[in-house]
């Protein structure tokens, strides 16, 4: 897909036109939610096509609802497949969550951490991979409650990865947020993940509502503990392509570039240490 040192940015309409007018050499790839571009023709379609010609693109879905009891939306999957072909999309990832029950709920809800649920969602991931004729990556998500929990978050995540034989989108911010909210050791969680399944990673900002409650907002700069955890992720698993998410309170591209440069610096620092050993 990309080199392990590749650094990406979530594409937002706030700055898409600017990127077209002023190419950003420090951005190796963009990530988009296909749901935000699929419905459109006209100027939006032209804009996206032009961007996809200039930059490698990957897609991070919002509405596949892998853990839902509702049937998979096969028409939507066929639309995705056509979209991926048309724009040479390199990779598709989705959340290990669900967002529908007799209609979309417009939120990402946690799948119960049970063996039955792991088997169920893994079968749906396999079906998605069969329809798309490609592997997908699933993202470890932030969550605020775990009703009916039988497995740990790590056990559940690993069970789904193994049963579905899919890849992992490793969200470092989500690990940090969950470790604070649910009182587990973030390093232990990182060390328990399978390096060989990591396709790429996310970093993002969050909001501290309370000492023991962080909200995954993607609306602020990346916090220092998340940068430190990213460095540990590189130490444990090696450097992997990493993307910065920012969904609102979006600053200038110049300010975002500073965070992208921080990702590069952390990756380069790990590479220097690895070569020195």
């Amino acid at each position: 897909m990309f080199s392990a040192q590749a650094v990406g940015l979530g594409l937002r309409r706030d700055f898409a036109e600017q990127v077209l007018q002023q190419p950003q050499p420090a951005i190796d790839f963009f990530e988009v939610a296909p749901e935000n571009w699929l419905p459109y023709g006209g100027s939006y379609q032209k804009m996206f096509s032009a961007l996809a010609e200039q930059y490698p693109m990957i897609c991070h879905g919002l509405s596949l609802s892998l853990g839902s009891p509702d049937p998979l939306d096969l028409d939507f999957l066929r639309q995705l497949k056509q979209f991926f072909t048309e724009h040479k999309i390199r990779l598709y990832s989705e959340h290990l969550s669900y967002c529908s029950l007799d209609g979309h709920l417009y939120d990402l809800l946690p799948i119960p951490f049970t063996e039955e649920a792991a088997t169920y969602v893994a079968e749906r991931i396999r079906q998605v991979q069969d329809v798309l004729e490609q592997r997908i990556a699933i993202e470890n998500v932030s969550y605020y409650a775990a009703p009916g929990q039988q497995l740990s978050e790590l056990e559940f995540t690993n069970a789904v990865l193994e049963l579905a034989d899919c890849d992992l989108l490793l969200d470092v911010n989500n690990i940090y947020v969950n470790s604070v909210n649910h009182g587990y050791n973030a390093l232990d969680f990182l060390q328990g993940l399978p390096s060989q399944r990591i396709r790429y990673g996310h970093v993002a900002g969050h909001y501290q509502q309370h000492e023991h409650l962080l909200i995954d907002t993607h609306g602020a700069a990346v916090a220092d503990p998340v940068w430190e955890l990213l460095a540990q992720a590189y130490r444990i698993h090696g450097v992997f392509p990493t993307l910065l998410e920012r969904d609102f309170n979006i600053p200038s591209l110049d300010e975002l570039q500073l965070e992208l440069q921080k990702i590069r610096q952390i990756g380069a620092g790990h590479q220097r240490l690895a070569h020195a050993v």
Side-chain angles (χ1 to χ4, degrees), residues 78-108:
R78 285 187 280 267
Q79 291 174 13
L80 283 180
K81 188 174 182 179
Q82 181 178 350
F83 183 78
F84 298 164
T85 300
E86 181 179 354
H87 298 292
K88 298 181 175 62
I89 301 299
R90 310 291 187 90
L91 171 65
Y92 176 54
S93 62
E94 249 290 359
H95 300 81
L96 188 55
S97 62
Y98 72 101
C99 60
S100 64
L101 181 63
D102 297 325
H104 278 274
L105 304 172
Y106 302 102
D107 205 351
L108 297 173

Side-chain angles (χ1 to χ4, degrees), residues 74-253:
L74 297 181
D75 288 337
F76 174 61
L77 281 173
R78 285 187 280 267
Q79 291 174 13
L80 283 180
K81 188 174 182 179
Q82 181 178 350
F83 183 78
F84 298 164
T85 300
E86 181 179 354
H87 298 292
K88 298 181 175 62
I89 301 299
R90 310 291 187 90
L91 171 65
Y92 176 54
S93 62
E94 249 290 359
H95 300 81
L96 188 55
S97 62
Y98 72 101
C99 60
S100 64
L101 181 63
D102 297 325
H104 278 274
L105 304 172
Y106 302 102
D107 205 351
L108 297 173
L109 303 174
I111 301 168
F113 296 154
T114 67
E115 292 182 2
E116 181 182 11
T119 300
Y120 175 78
V121 73
E123 289 174 352
R124 285 164 67 89
I125 292 170
R126 283 185 175 274
Q127 185 179 358
V128 169
Q129 293 182 143
D130 288 344
V131 173
L132 296 179
E133 298 183 280
Q134 67 180 69
R135 292 171 69 89
I136 70 169
I138 57 167
E139 179 188 18
N140 56 292
V141 298
S142 56
Y143 64 99
Y144 304 94
Q149 182 171 355
Q150 298 172 359
L151 305 173
S152 69
E153 179 192 352
L154 179 61
E155 290 169 334
F156 178 76
T157 302
N158 282 337
V160 172
L161 290 170
E162 185 68 25
L163 290 168
D165 191 22
C166 63
D167 294 324
L168 173 66
L169 161 52
L170 195 164
D171 192 304
V172 177
N173 182 64
N174 287 351
I175 293 174
Y176 179 71
V177 165
N178 291 346
S179 72
V180 171
N181 292 345
H182 302 289
Y184 67 68
N185 187 292
L187 276 180
D188 289 345
F189 188 96
L190 267 177
Q191 288 171 331
L193 293 171
S195 301
Q196 72 277 12
R197 292 195 183 271
I198 298 172
R199 198 73 184 274
Y200 73 113
H202 276 173
V203 290
H206 57 257
Y207 173 70
Q208 183 168 346
Q209 184 163 322
H210 182 271
E211 181 181 358
H212 302 295
L213 179 59
L214 305 182
I215 307 297
D216 177 34
T217 61
H218 302 178
V222 178
D224 286 343
V226 177
W227 288 128
E228 293 165 9
L229 196 60
L230 178 64
Q232 293 293 340
Y234 289 163
R235 178 185 63 82
I236 294 166
H237 299 291
V239 178
F240 45 80
T242 304
L243 179 130
L244 172 68
E245 293 184 293
R246 189 68 178 260
D247 290 343
F248 69 99
N249 294 331
I250 298 175
S252 69
L253 267 176

Side-chain angles (χ1 to χ4, degrees), residues 38-93:
L38 262 172
Y40 297 106
S43 61
Y44 280 131
Q45 181 66 33
K46 290 178 182 177
M47 178 190 295
F48 186 82
S49 295
L51 285 164
E53 289 177 3
Q54 292 188 30
Y55 296 91
M57 290 282 180
I58 63 176
C59 281
H60 184 46
L62 299 172
S63 62
L64 195 53
S65 201
L66 288 169
S68 172
D70 293 342
L72 286 169
D73 188 338
L74 297 181
D75 288 337
F76 174 61
L77 281 173
R78 285 187 280 267
Q79 291 174 13
L80 283 180
K81 188 174 182 179
Q82 181 178 350
F83 183 78
F84 298 164
T85 300
E86 181 179 354
H87 298 292
K88 298 181 175 62
I89 301 299
R90 310 291 187 90
L91 171 65
Y92 176 54
S93 62

